[in-house]
Amino acid sequence: MLTKPEDAASTLSRQFRTARPAVAIVGATGAVGAELLQCLERRNFPLASLRLLASARSAGKTLTFAGEQIVVEELTEASFEGIDLALFSAGSGTSKHYADIAVKAGAIVVDNSSAFRMYPDVPLIVPEVNGAALATHRGIIANPNCVAAIATVALAPLHSAHPIRRLNIATYQSASGAGAAAMEELRESTAAYLNGESYQPRVLPHPYAFNFFSHNADVDQESGYNGEELKVIAETRRILGADELPVGITCIRVPVLRAHGMAITVTFDEAVTPEAARSLLTDAPGLKLVDDRAANRFPMPSEASGEDDVLVGRIRRDLGDPSGRSIALFVVGDQLLKGAALNAVQIAEALLVR
Ligand SMILES: NC(=O)c1ccc[n+]([C@@H]2O[C@H](COP(=O)([O-])OP(=O)(O)OC[C@H]3O[C@@H](n4cnc5c(N)ncnc54)[C@H](OP(=O)(O)O)[C@@H]3O)[C@@H](O)[C@H]2O)c1
């Protein structure tokens, strides 16, 4: 059952203890942290106070929120005193160490890392898709992998009308998915390439300018799948509530600054026409249809960047499946927003006392 993000609040058993939560961002200086600041401001999140936390490297720096300069503090075990909402985006190790400390201090944690995503008592939430699962949590809520979050926004309206039997996905993932340093590496290596200079990659394993390569996550030597692909498979199943769903996937890093693309072939239990799929995706929550065959205009990272909505288009019959049960789509979403910060803030909004 699809829900508008704000509707998820009605099902909650555990919300913030106050109507105006005190908020902390862990990893405020990172790529996701910067977007969390902007999302909270732009969406007028009713916060009582904002604490910005990062490593000792960033302590003393200032960041701007709603026209005010806030000094970044070093994350310590005492950082969560008085905090109602802790938005974590500082990697799995930091989440594993500090999330329980934040919960013990009385905060609800919304975690962007992969640390808890498959824990049965930690809901993995895309508010439009499975917001009702927020009803049971023990203080930690997981924000999905960026590909899983973006893909499920487009897949859920189809799946709730016609059960999906199989997925095949190929991704085109941008630099921002690997953090602020990878974005800088793409800028610097592109400038070096255009100037005819050599450039030694520091963040990603291969030359990035005018190149693409298999996702940089570690490869499982037995299956040949990398960590990103395995996350997307497991998380997509969990978010859609389809534990056994067969998912094939190839994740590729492309030289785009932000916004991930994905070509998805969806096979249903029954025949579904492209027209029926298009109609289900039109006006679905969090989605925008960009599907202009006459103009050959479909979703692009340049148009998805900075946009809350996930773009979906190229909706057509999969000619590789003569049974008529398979539809091909192209989906692009800003993974710093729907794949990370926006989704986290939407989860927090659903936890607000109204
Ligand atoms: N980028 C995405 O699209 C995306 C999407 C979904 C989930 N995520 C997840 O979100 C998290 C952050 O990703 P990102 O892309 O924002 O990375 P990033 O740009 O590299 O930023 C990392 C942030 O974590 C902080 N940090 C690192 N180690 C720390 C420590 N020991 N103690 C306190 N703070 C520490 C950094 O602080 P300093 O500046 O002080 O080093 C920085 O603020 C990761 O877990 C990532 O998997 C990212």
Side-chain angles (χ1 to χ4, degrees):
M1 180 65 181
L2 300 183
T3 48
K4 289 215 165 91
E6 59 271 22
D7 293 343
S10 58
T11 62
L12 283 180
S13 62
R14 181 151 185 232
Q15 299 175 298
F16 298 120
R17 51 195 169 185
T18 161
R20 295 182 72 80
V23 178
I25 299 178
V26 181
T29 50
V32 176
E35 298 298 326
L36 282 167
L37 276 163
Q38 287 192 23
C39 282
L40 290 170
E41 178 172 347
R42 162 165 80 77
R43 294 172 74 87
N44 289 319
F45 188 87
L47 49 81
S49 61
L50 182 59
R51 188 173 293 164
L52 302 182
L53 302 162
S55 77
R57 294 179 290 273
S58 303
K61 279 187 188 166
T62 55
L63 296 173
T64 307
F65 177 77
E68 275 188 43
Q69 299 284 308
I70 303 181
V71 178
V72 177
E73 301 167 45
E74 180 183 356
L75 172 66
T76 69
E77 296 190 357
S79 295
F80 302 99
E81 204 176 306
I83 294 298
D84 303 297
L85 166 64
L87 296 160
F88 273 69
S89 65
S92 289
T94 303
S95 293
K96 280 182 185 151
H97 185 87
Y98 288 97
D100 282 332
I101 294 171
V103 171
K104 281 200 187 97
I108 295 178
V109 168
V110 180
D111 182 31
N112 271 292
S113 84
S114 59
F116 307 108
R117 289 180 188 152
M118 298 311 290
Y119 282 37
D121 58 350
V122 173
L124 178 67
I125 299 292
V126 177
E128 295 91 337
V129 178
N130 65 341
L134 277 171
T136 50
H137 67 85
R138 60 167 174 87
I140 303 177
I141 296 150
N143 212 33
N145 164 280
C146 39
V147 172
I150 290 165
T152 54
V153 171
L155 293 171
L158 301 171
H159 185 55
S160 56
H162 305 283
I164 294 174
R165 184 211 256 190
R166 185 159 69 93
L167 291 174
N168 230 306
I169 306 174
T171 72
Y172 307 77
Q173 295 182 229
S174 59
S176 55
M183 295 170 81
E184 196 48 33
E185 181 152 304
L186 178 57
R187 287 192 193 93
E188 285 176 2
S189 61
T190 303
Y193 185 99
L194 291 172
N195 288 327
E197 296 160 3
S198 69
Y199 185 88
Q200 192 56 41
R202 284 170 285 115
V203 183
L204 292 167
H206 305 292
Y208 203 4
F210 301 94
N211 191 25
F212 58 79
F213 44 84
S214 191
H215 192 283
N216 44 295
D218 289 345
V219 180
D220 175 59
Q221 295 302 307
E222 200 181 321
S223 66
Y225 275 70
N226 63 49
E228 179 79 353
E229 292 162 345
L230 296 173
K231 279 185 209 168
V232 178
I233 293 170
E235 296 182 28
T236 300
R237 288 174 172 163
R238 190 169 181 213
I239 296 162
L240 292 178
D243 291 348
E244 305 294 325
L245 183 66
V247 182
I249 182 162
T250 302
C251 289
I252 301 294
R253 189 73 76 187
V254 296
V256 165
L257 212 47
R258 62 189 277 174
H260 289 353
M262 50 206 82
I264 309 181
T265 303
V266 190
T267 302
F268 300 95
D269 273 339
E270 58 198 352
V272 174
T273 65
E275 294 70 31
R278 193 174 292 108
S279 144
L280 288 165
L281 296 172
T282 304
D283 300 327
L287 269 184
K288 184 173 166 196
L289 202 65
V290 181
D291 200 30
D292 186 345
R293 289 182 184 178
N296 193 356
R297 188 163 164 276
F298 302 108
M300 290 181 276
S302 59
E303 292 187 350
S305 294
E307 289 295 314
D308 286 354
D309 282 340
V310 168
L311 310 184
V312 61
R314 289 222 75 193
I315 301 163
R316 63 207 190 280
R317 186 182 296 281
D318 171 26
L319 295 179
D321 178 3
S323 74
R325 288 180 299 158
S326 299
I327 293 288
L329 315 168
F330 195 64
V331 178
V332 181
D334 186 326
Q335 97 294 340
L336 286 175
L337 292 176
K338 191 59 195 171
L342 171 67
N343 198 67
V345 172
Q346 287 174 321
I347 291 170
E349 287 169 349
L351 298 165
L352 285 167
V353 178
R354 290 168 202 277

